[in-house]
Amino acid sequence: MTYRISLILSVLLTAATIQGCSGSESRQQSSIQQTAAPLSPAADNSEWIKRLLATPPDATVTQVAASSTPPVVLPIPTEQGNSVSGNRYSLVVDQTARIVWLQQHNGLGTGMPDRNGPWSMSQPDVEKLLRAAEAAQTR
């Protein structure tokens, strides 16, 4: 009888130890998940801007004729870290020609903004930035 009791206690102790180990592991994972915050959309936009600037302009666009519809300028939200350099970005969208330029404004307000591009509206980085700029306007 004593053997059975010690065997049962041993099994219970082993089960409690295993459960305690797995419990602490799940608590560790949940604390790691809580500390690993996702990138903010604005920080993500900074990365998309860098990618777009590293992409050569669309070579198929040779000349843009003036259209009756003026281009739309959409500001792109970026992380606060960019305020140190003072740079702000916006997309200049020509809906008629389906092309986009990336416009960079320096924080000093001197001179004309730099304009890069054009790129097709179907370019993946442009599509991402367009969605982000449009979402920021609806907020």
Side-chain angles (χ1 to χ4, degrees):
M1 179 104 167
T2 310
Y3 175 74
R4 281 187 184 174
I5 293 174
S6 64
L7 180 61
I8 292 171
L9 286 175
S10 174
V11 169
L12 289 174
L13 182 61
T14 303
T17 304
I18 291 172
Q19 184 180 7
C21 290
S22 66
S24 66
E25 183 178 316
S26 65
R27 282 190 299 270
Q28 287 175 343
Q29 287 177 348
S30 67
S31 67
I32 289 171
Q33 290 170 348
Q34 290 172 354
T35 58
L39 278 177
S40 72
D44 190 29
N45 290 340
S46 296
E47 291 303 314
W48 289 104
I49 289 169
K50 288 178 193 174
R51 285 176 48 136
L52 187 58
L53 288 172
T55 305
D58 191 345
T60 61
V61 178
T62 54
Q63 184 176 7
V64 178
S67 66
S68 60
T69 308
V72 177
V73 179
L74 299 171
I76 303 170
T78 53
E79 61 189 352
Q80 293 299 321
N82 284 347
S83 65
V84 173
S85 65
N87 292 332
R88 294 182 329 264
Y89 296 92
S90 56
L91 292 175
V92 179
V93 182
D94 184 337
Q95 293 282 359
T96 306
R98 308 260 322 136
I99 55 177
V100 174
W101 291 267
L102 182 65
Q103 192 164 284
Q104 179 180 353
H105 312 268
N106 65 19
L108 303 175
T110 58
M112 294 295 292
D114 292 332
R115 189 179 278 190
N116 298 293
W119 293 278
S120 167
M121 286 178 70
S122 62
Q123 202 271 359
D125 299 326
V126 168
E127 287 179 344
K128 167 67 172 119
L129 289 170
L130 278 170
R131 282 193 302 271
E134 289 168 353
Q137 283 197 330
T138 60
R139 290 183 195 163

